Amino acid sequence: MNKIVEKEFFSENVAKIVIEAPEIAVSRKPGHFVIIRIDEKGERIPLTIASSDNEKGTITLVVQKVGVTSAKLLALEEGDFIHDVVGPLGKATHIEKVGTVLCAGGGVGVAPLLPIVEGFKKAGNKVITVLAARSKDLVILEEQMREFSDEVIIMTDDGSYGKKGLVTHGMEEVINREKVNLSVVIGPAIMMKFASLTTKKYNIKTYASLNTIMVDGTGMCGACRITVGGKTKFVCVDGPEFDAHEVDFDLMLSRLGAYREQEMEAYENYLKTVQ
Amino acid sequence: MEKVAEYLKTERAQEWRAELRKSLKAKERTSRERVEMLERDPNIRNKNIEEVNLGLTEDMALLEAQRCLDCPNPTCISGCPVGINIPKFIKKIDAHDFLGAAVVLKETNALPAVCGRVCPQEKQCENNCFYTISLKKPAVAIGHLERFAADFERNSGSIAIPEVAESNGIKVAVIGSGPAGLSAAGDLRKLGYDVTVFEALHEIGGVLKYGIPEFRLPNEIVDVEINVMREMGVKFRTNFIVGKTAGIEDLKAQGFEAFFIGSGAGLPRFMNIPGENFNGIFSSNEYLTRVNLMNAANPEYDTPVLSGKNVAVIGGGNTAMDSVRTAKRLGAERAMIIYRRSEEEMPARLEEVKHAKEEGIEFMTLHNPVEYFADEKGRVNKVRIQKMELGEPDASGRRRPYPIPDSEFEIEVDTVVVSVGVSPNPIIPSSIPELKMTDWGTIVVDKDTMQSSIPELFAGGDIVRGGATVILAMGDGRKAAAGMHKYLQEKVKK
Amino acid sequence: MADLTTKYLGLTLSNPIIVASSGLTDSVEKIIELEKNGAGAVVLKSLFEEQILREADYKMKKARQNGMMYADYSETFDYIDLHVKEKELNHYLDLISNAKKSVNIPVIASVNCVTSQEWTTFARDIEKAGADALELNIFIMPFSLEKDCHDIDKMYYDILEKVKKEVNIPIAVKVSQYFSNLGFVIKTLADKGADGVVLFNRFSSPDIDIENIKVTHASIYSTPEEMHNSLRWIGILGKRVSCDLAASNGVHDGEAVIKQILAGASAVQVASAIYKNGPEYILEMKKTIDKWMDKKGFLYIDQFKGKLSQEKSENPDIFERIQFMKYFSEIK
């Protein structure tokens, strides 16, 4: 049982949740994630750890309401308990000094991107960060990103903040004007797919942090499997980061939709009960 | 060996045993038919998860126990991986001392209620019964009797909580709460150690909970045993992955002096044929975990599972049987086993195969999948299968399957469960580079003490044997507990 | 300085010397070394179906002997050949992708096929891993006393057709010399889509140890004399088939390379010469070719490639018989 010690809404459907997890906080590195189960009837879902505090013994998750479990999670209050939290899972991000790193985050993908931006900056790289969201109120963690980036470019679909356009426009602007040695992209699968196609054009090595359906998170079931370079890999133990140019994003998108009907139906039922 | 034979002889010579032997003529015993387990009706039970076997009544148990001849040389024991004193417990039943029978079982086997249900007796004790070997008749139903005694004890409400020696304050860690870990934990606690079991999942029991379905091994039976351990003082920590949440070194710093690694063989294997990553194709681990551990079939629980009309399960072992029978219960119209060898070569328990057939499972033996196809949404909808024929035996002694050229055809499927084996979980071994491992990814241990190449680390169960049986895991757990005890006592002396 | 560039299977090679599928090409380090020494391309060590089955049997045997491993009724060991195959295939795909990341010369994958089933799907993975081309080493010796030559020929065509359907990369077929109608077979392979044919596969030759009275085998290295059979056939087929031809066996020096090209080969495959003399030998061979081209006034390979190929109009039967008679009548 892990207590929620802080909760803050970034927007109507996106919130930061800080939970007590002293052992996880100590072992955690950028790139790691946890699997949580809200209550005894809940499902197990993965959530990337946005940050952790060793002294306080807490970890921070940023959650977007997309279905039943995330909705239930956002409905919990400070002082409530999450029944099960296990981690840190996955392989930590490989941070090294390469020169200039172009980081691109879409939507809530920005949250797990933050510790990676910080890591690359502290390793001595020049870091340019592109944040993308549908509209102004979905842009999160801008201040924190500015702290660790040499430059932050904000792209919104509707132009309500920053520049109007997609994350790929922002990325290409940077690539066309200076040399980029490495790129990291995190966000919805479709965003990562197109961001990766963009960097592939220019032969820039790119890491993507994949989000797939998971059940156990320890390599035991294979629910999270994807194809990388023609071979099957498990996101929970071989990832979550992979060479983006080798990832079969279409397969990943297809697998993400495996339970779409059930998820939608369950979400509608849930919304009815809270009303 | 000598000591054991002596011990068995002494036990057998006891008066109560001699009396029982005299009470009935051998001919009368051997002329009886083997008892038949009461089972639920196949066409009703294949739609729910009630336990299929209903157990023996007291009368049935007594009559069956009397079939046992109490042989001077009990060959049945040599078939048991942990050497249970089988004649003794059966004769306790014969003597109407059912609780006594449970006590005898628990001297060697920590979870007799589990083993009585899941052991492949036909390959172990019953295969070596005098009836099988010499009389060529059905063996004494040792498994059914074991289950009877254990269930009687549980239902009577007087489960003996084993005596725990005075606490010696030495902290030991058990990693994994499956059968190996539970056995080791129980024995170590009895010896007075401060035992903590670390479990990666949110439930205790390992494969007993997530792998074996309710209709074969109800979770409540496992929970009863776990509660006995809690009463003994064993501590359990769930959601704790040793090697991720904290490492062995971290635990040492917290004062743990010895470790038992029972992390199992949880890595699923696939066939790596085209289309295997389409939606609707599962490893048996995922499929069974969703249903058994996460209760996906129950609408009150959030975890979903894809249930299909036409379900194909690839493989011929117990896991394949469990998966295909689960599919049937989830509503499959066609639930099929696709196995590349013939039925004789299937490694599954005979009882599971029998039950599966009764429940309407289709057995496509001598068939093998070669490719899967999907609809526009990426959900599997067809599988191409080739027919096989058996050639010369391979190194396993079983005949090797060869594809028959030009024999391919396609069938409709909307769910596939791949059940072709598991590999040892790599998390702990990869976090300890100095740990000596085999080619198969298992931990190398001394066969008598279960000690690994690192003195304070012991291991047992599937992490040492590859995917094996519950009884072997439990035997390992007990051996390791004895080995750890010896190691720690010597350490204390220094 | 002559230009040794040549085209083979639609790939551009800096020179016609390809290091053949062998122990010389089974690791990234070795391939890098070969590129450094001037190899025009490499064909990776072949993947054998039987090798995988043998490895699986070996693992099973060892497991049964090991006191701890649960082997006999293990669900995993029931399918051990699949698991070994997965490991070997993944290893091979890694070799391909790592080699591609480390060198610029073309990397050609090679599989040794007996049945067409397994390898057609694996061909897709090979393409995805980045191989520039695929060489099908169809290793069917006509040992069977039951199979008609047409059945055997058909196996070659079946395998080729099945693989061709799966991939877009060029496919070469390495054949043995044991066909009663070699010319026809090669022409048919070309018509059915083979981008290249490699003449010839080399089987181990038997020998007998009369001291111990047992069967052994002859030297595993080829001899220069072995070159002449492929030379003949490349000479005959050079202008008659639509696919590229590559010569293998017995190419032991730069002169041999020149001869094969004059006969009509687009490239040659070497192994024994490199085993014996080391990778640096490739540079020597190139030097020989270079010097000869300068001497004869050739700037490009194409200027002398196939110069001595038989014309389509010539009748090879009669040509051969006349040559034979001429030769023997001179020896009187």
Side-chain angles (χ1 to χ4, degrees):
Chain A
M1 301 289 272
N2 301 68
K3 183 153 80 159
I4 299 177
V5 296
E6 196 189 319
K7 182 176 137 191
E8 183 196 326
F9 276 98
F10 287 144
S11 67
E12 191 193 331
N13 292 321
V14 180
K16 166 179 109 171
I17 298 185
V18 183
I19 56 179
E20 266 175 13
E23 280 146 344
I24 303 177
V26 162
S27 308
R28 173 255 168 191
K29 297 196 173 51
H32 279 149
F33 64 95
V34 289
I35 292 244
I36 69 158
R37 192 178 72 134
I38 298 184
D39 55 46
E40 286 187 2
K41 302 215 167 130
E43 54 169 352
R44 292 170 63 102
I45 62 164
L47 289 169
T48 317
I49 305 173
S51 65
S52 59
D53 188 325
N54 269 15
E55 280 173 34
K56 295 197 190 135
T58 60
I59 59 173
T60 302
L61 314 170
V62 174
V63 184
Q64 178 177 31
K65 195 196 296 191
V66 292
V68 172
T69 308
S70 46
K72 283 186 185 170
L73 184 52
L74 290 188
L76 293 176
E77 299 293 347
E78 285 173 19
D80 286 340
F81 287 85
I82 298 178
H83 202 278
D84 301 286
V85 178
V86 66
L89 301 171
K91 287 196 183 141
T93 308
H94 181 65
I95 309 252
E96 55 176 339
K97 182 167 175 194
V98 292
T100 302
V101 183
L102 174 60
C103 295
V108 279
V110 169
L113 188 62
L114 179 58
I116 296 175
V117 162
E118 183 183 344
F120 275 109
K121 184 70 193 151
K122 288 191 172 153
N125 295 289
K126 176 175 180 190
V127 178
I128 305 174
T129 305
V130 177
L131 304 179
R134 278 204 300 275
S135 60
K136 177 169 180 189
D137 54 298
L138 292 172
V139 175
I140 57 172
L141 302 177
E142 182 189 345
E143 253 183 67
Q144 293 90 327
M145 281 297 187
R146 287 199 190 276
E147 197 189 326
F148 297 113
S149 314
D150 292 275
E151 184 187 344
V152 173
I153 299 175
I154 300 185
M155 310 293 299
T156 46
D157 287 10
D158 60 2
S160 51
Y161 194 53
K163 301 191 191 166
K164 180 167 177 181
L166 303 170
V167 69
T168 44
H169 298 137
M171 290 172 77
E172 277 198 285
E173 187 193 308
V174 176
I175 296 171
N176 283 325
R177 68 164 199 234
E178 62 187 280
K179 171 140 179 77
V180 172
N181 303 89
L182 178 70
S183 181
V184 179
V185 301
I186 310 186
I190 189 92
M191 170 246 169
M192 290 193 286
K193 173 180 171 182
F194 284 104
S196 164
L197 286 172
T198 304
T199 56
K200 192 164 184 177
K201 271 194 299 194
Y202 302 95
N203 249 310
I204 301 172
K205 189 168 171 74
T206 305
Y207 291 123
S209 180
L210 305 186
N211 55 329
T212 52
I213 293 176
M214 289 187 192
V215 180
D216 69 292
T218 59
M220 185 263 269
C221 75
C224 63
R225 66 193 189 277
I226 47 147
T227 308
V228 180
K231 295 202 257 158
T232 298
K233 299 275 177 190
F234 289 4
V235 174
C236 66
V237 290
D238 301 315
E241 282 167 25
F242 293 94
D243 181 337
H245 298 157
E246 309 227 298
V247 174
D248 183 344
F249 280 103
D250 290 328
L251 176 68
M252 183 183 149
L253 279 158
S254 169
R255 288 184 63 81
L256 275 170
Y259 298 91
R260 188 152 290 136
E261 276 174 37
Q262 281 108 317
E263 286 167 359
M264 278 175 24
E265 195 185 313
Y267 195 31
E268 277 163 32
N269 289 338
Y270 169 76
L271 290 177
K272 285 194 203 132
T273 60
V274 290
Q275 265 138 28
Chain B
M1 269 305 116
E2 300 273 308
K3 279 174 51 191
V4 174
E6 269 305 308
Y7 163 74
L8 290 173
K9 227 171 127 191
T10 324
E11 290 275 316
R12 185 175 181 270
Q14 286 180 346
E15 220 195 292
W16 68 279
R17 298 268 290 260
E19 285 291 321
L20 284 170
R21 284 195 294 278
K22 278 191 231 141
S23 69
L24 205 56
K25 284 211 176 60
K27 237 197 197 161
E28 269 224 49
R29 298 179 193 271
T30 60
S31 64
R32 278 197 200 151
E33 294 286 316
R34 173 182 155 121
V35 73
E36 269 188 45
M37 170 64 78
L38 297 170
E39 297 171 358
R40 293 185 195 270
D41 180 278
N43 289 310
I44 297 180
R45 75 187 192 225
N46 64 6
K47 297 176 177 58
N48 62 49
I49 55 171
E50 302 283 346
E51 193 182 352
V52 170
N53 283 346
L54 292 166
L56 303 177
T57 62
E58 283 184 31
D59 285 347
M60 292 164 87
L62 280 165
L63 288 172
E64 185 64 18
Q66 286 169 356
R67 281 182 78 225
C68 170
L69 297 164
D70 200 353
C71 303
N73 177 20
T75 46
C76 51
I77 302 183
S78 59
C80 174
V82 296
I84 293 175
N85 191 344
I86 297 172
K88 186 174 176 189
F89 99 79
I90 293 184
K91 286 303 143 188
K92 282 280 184 185
I93 295 178
D94 195 352
H96 220 121
D97 180 6
F98 305 145
L99 290 178
V103 168
V104 172
L105 284 166
K106 285 193 169 171
E107 279 165 15
T108 333
N109 178 348
L111 306 171
V114 174
C115 289
R117 286 167 164 78
V118 307
C119 263
Q121 291 92 359
E122 76 268 17
K123 300 185 173 92
Q124 294 172 176
C125 49
E126 292 180 18
N127 193 32
N128 287 29
C129 174
F130 179 75
Y131 278 78
T132 313
I133 300 178
S134 305
L135 301 177
K136 311 291 182 205
K137 280 174 159 206
V140 172
I142 302 172
H144 294 335
L145 290 172
E146 179 179 26
R147 179 210 156 108
F148 170 79
D151 286 358
F152 184 89
E153 191 204 33
R154 186 179 69 255
N155 293 326
S156 72
S158 19
I159 298 194
I161 309 285
E163 236 182 270
V164 173
E166 203 179 312
S167 288
N168 57 29
I170 302 178
K171 282 170 80 168
V172 294
V174 170
I175 302 167
S177 67
L182 291 177
S183 293
D187 274 14
L188 285 164
R189 184 66 197 126
K190 274 193 243 179
L191 294 163
Y193 289 95
D194 178 348
V195 181
T196 307
V197 178
F198 294 95
E199 168 56 49
L201 292 173
H202 56 264
E203 285 256 17
I204 311 283
V207 72
L208 300 175
K209 284 270 184 77
Y210 75 74
I212 307 179
E214 280 292 286
F215 56 82
R216 246 201 331 137
L217 175 65
N219 282 353
E220 102 181 304
I221 292 181
V222 183
D223 283 333
V224 165
E225 301 296 342
I226 294 170
N227 280 331
V228 168
M229 289 200 195
R230 281 194 216 268
E231 302 252 340
M232 285 164 69
V234 172
K235 295 182 233 171
F236 290 94
R237 286 219 50 193
T238 54
N239 298 312
F240 196 111
I241 305 173
V242 175
K244 289 258 173 216
T245 312
I248 300 270
E249 295 304 312
D250 300 314
L251 292 178
K252 278 191 202 160
Q254 287 178 33
F256 288 92
E257 306 227 23
F259 302 80
F260 175 74
I261 302 172
S263 47
L267 206 66
R269 312 251 33 176
F270 288 93
M271 293 179 71
N272 285 288
I273 56 178
E276 212 174 25
N277 288 340
F278 285 134
N279 286 332
I281 303 182
F282 298 91
S283 70
S284 47
N285 276 0
E286 183 187 349
Y287 193 66
L288 293 173
T289 298
R290 281 180 184 271
V291 177
N292 297 335
L293 184 71
M294 308 301 295
N295 295 294
N298 185 332
E300 283 181 36
Y301 288 75
D302 290 347
T303 304
V305 70
L306 293 176
S307 57
K309 285 213 333 252
N310 297 309
V311 184
V313 175
I314 322 296
N318 289 326
T319 319
M321 293 304 125
D322 287 343
S323 303
V324 78
R325 294 167 70 196
T326 298
K328 192 75 180 170
R329 284 157 173 76
L330 287 177
E333 281 173 21
R334 277 186 91 184
M336 305 165 267
I337 283 283
I338 301 182
Y339 180 61
R340 59 186 191 161
R341 299 191 220 242
S342 73
E343 200 176 310
E344 288 89 71
E345 281 94 16
M346 285 174 75
R349 262 182 109 234
L350 288 176
E351 192 177 43
E352 307 314 323
V353 177
K354 165 178 171 285
H355 284 168
K357 286 191 176 157
E358 287 166 357
E359 287 163 16
I361 306 300
E362 284 176 55
F363 279 70
M364 292 176 72
T365 50
L366 294 171
H367 283 77
N368 204 33
V370 287
E371 188 168 355
Y372 300 103
F373 303 93
D375 61 23
E376 341 70 63
K377 296 208 198 119
R379 173 77 182 265
V380 65
N381 63 1
K382 260 193 326 200
V383 57
R384 179 148 69 226
I385 301 178
Q386 69 193 175
K387 294 203 183 138
M388 313 291 279
E389 59 189 349
L390 296 179
E392 289 304 302
D394 60 28
S396 73
R398 281 179 296 193
R399 299 176 63 196
R400 193 201 298 284
Y402 289 102
I404 299 177
D406 300 317
S407 65
E408 295 177 6
F409 63 100
E410 290 169 8
I411 59 171
E412 275 179 32
V413 285
D414 47 19
T415 304
V416 177
V417 182
V418 181
S419 185
V420 298
V422 284
S423 277
N425 187 307
I427 292 186
I428 292 190
S430 58
S431 71
I432 313 171
E434 323 83 64
L435 189 59
K436 189 151 173 256
M437 311 289 296
T438 67
D439 277 345
W440 304 282
T442 56
I443 301 178
V444 176
V445 295
D446 175 290
K447 69 173 171 56
D448 295 312
T449 60
M450 308 308 284
Q451 190 176 36
S452 75
S453 61
I454 299 178
E456 63 271 18
L457 299 185
F458 292 70
D462 287 0
I463 193 74
V464 163
R465 299 176 176 277
T469 59
V470 166
I471 187 76
L472 282 169
M474 297 201 318
D476 289 350
R478 305 206 65 178
K479 250 192 237 162
M484 286 162 81
H485 181 53
K486 189 159 158 248
Y487 161 77
L488 287 164
Q489 291 305 308
E490 276 168 22
K491 205 165 138 193
V492 161
K493 285 201 197 114
K494 288 191 192 137
Chain C
M1 276 305 293
D3 178 352
L4 269 57
T5 312
T6 186
K7 276 201 108 123
Y8 173 58
L9 305 181
L11 305 167
T12 305
L13 277 55
S14 64
N15 69 75
I17 303 172
I18 302 178
V19 181
S21 172
S22 59
L24 296 165
T25 55
D26 63 4
S27 78
V28 179
E29 296 74 38
K30 289 183 190 169
I31 296 169
I32 293 176
E33 200 49 33
L34 292 169
E35 182 188 47
K36 255 210 318 233
N37 281 290
V42 292
V43 183
L44 298 177
K45 182 159 168 62
S46 211
L47 208 46
F48 279 74
E49 204 173 323
E50 286 92 342
Q51 187 185 322
I52 290 177
L53 287 177
R54 263 218 327 264
E55 169 84 15
D57 267 3
Y58 173 67
K59 274 202 139 79
M60 181 77 203
K61 237 187 15 220
K62 259 182 79 186
R64 292 179 96 195
Q65 288 164 356
N66 181 314
M68 291 264 95
M69 281 305 284
Y70 185 72
D72 277 341
Y73 302 109
S74 162
E75 300 176 331
T76 313
F77 278 93
D78 194 359
Y79 283 87
I80 185 71
D81 52 322
L82 276 194
H83 306 319
V84 167
K85 186 166 165 204
E86 181 187 349
K87 185 155 151 246
E88 294 295 316
L89 295 194
N90 276 341
H91 192 67
Y92 199 73
L93 294 177
D94 281 341
L95 177 59
I96 297 174
S97 53
N98 289 336
K100 280 306 288 177
K101 285 190 198 139
S102 315
V103 298
N104 291 317
I105 56 176
V107 173
I108 302 173
S110 169
V111 288
N112 209 293
C113 334
V114 179
T115 62
S116 55
Q117 233 85 280
E118 325 269 303
W119 303 107
T120 52
T121 52
F122 184 48
R124 283 190 223 162
D125 294 332
I126 286 180
E127 184 178 38
K128 273 199 220 143
D132 294 293
L134 176 56
E135 182 174 283
L136 300 177
N137 195 339
I138 306 185
F139 215 82
I140 305 170
M141 265 283 239
F143 285 130
S144 167
L145 297 172
E146 264 108 60
K147 288 202 168 83
D148 184 78
C149 62
H150 293 298
D151 295 335
I152 296 184
D153 293 355
K154 188 165 179 303
M155 284 168 81
Y156 278 75
Y157 306 145
D158 277 348
I159 293 174
L160 173 63
E161 280 175 328
K162 285 210 168 98
V163 175
K164 212 51 193 154
K165 268 203 269 199
E166 302 290 332
V167 298
N168 294 317
I169 51 176
I171 298 184
V173 182
K174 195 167 188 179
V175 298
S176 81
Q177 36 195 329
Y178 299 103
F179 288 97
S180 53
N181 52 354
L182 181 62
F184 178 78
V185 170
I186 294 181
K187 183 167 181 308
T188 310
L189 286 171
D191 290 342
K192 286 191 184 283
D195 299 281
V197 174
V198 184
L199 293 73
F200 293 103
N201 223 325
R202 189 162 184 281
F203 301 109
S204 75
S205 306
D207 202 345
I208 289 180
D209 174 346
I210 60 175
E211 274 313 310
N212 295 307
I213 310 192
K214 65 176 187 158
V215 178
T216 60
H217 53 80
S219 164
I220 50 169
Y221 295 134
S222 65
T223 57
E225 287 67 46
E226 289 178 50
M227 182 191 82
H228 295 286
N229 207 19
S230 50
L231 191 64
R232 167 195 294 128
W233 282 102
I234 289 179
I236 293 174
L237 296 169
K239 291 199 175 120
R240 293 186 164 101
V241 295
S242 54
C243 63
D244 289 338
L245 296 172
S248 188
N249 293 340
V251 177
H252 281 210
D253 50 33
E255 283 90 351
V257 181
I258 297 168
K259 291 177 191 175
Q260 293 284 17
I261 298 178
L262 283 167
S266 301
V268 302
Q269 292 193 359
V270 299
S272 299
I274 312 299
Y275 272 121
K276 286 201 183 128
N277 304 306
E280 319 78 59
Y281 193 64
I282 303 176
L283 292 166
E284 280 228 26
M285 292 170 77
K286 279 172 74 177
K287 254 194 236 148
T288 308
I289 302 170
D290 205 51
K291 254 170 70 184
W292 178 85
M293 283 173 75
D294 281 345
K295 193 160 146 201
K296 300 295 172 187
F298 294 122
L299 291 171
Y300 305 107
I301 297 274
D302 277 345
Q303 288 176 311
F304 66 96
K305 176 177 162 206
K307 210 168 200 295
L308 298 181
S309 282
Q310 272 192 13
E311 293 304 323
K312 265 185 158 149
S313 53
E314 289 182 64
N315 187 329
D317 284 341
I318 300 180
F319 180 72
E320 282 289 314
R321 289 169 66 89
I322 293 177
Q323 293 293 84
F324 181 75
M325 277 165 48
K326 237 173 85 177
Y327 181 66
F328 269 89
S329 63
E330 283 190 18
I331 291 203
K332 248 199 286 218

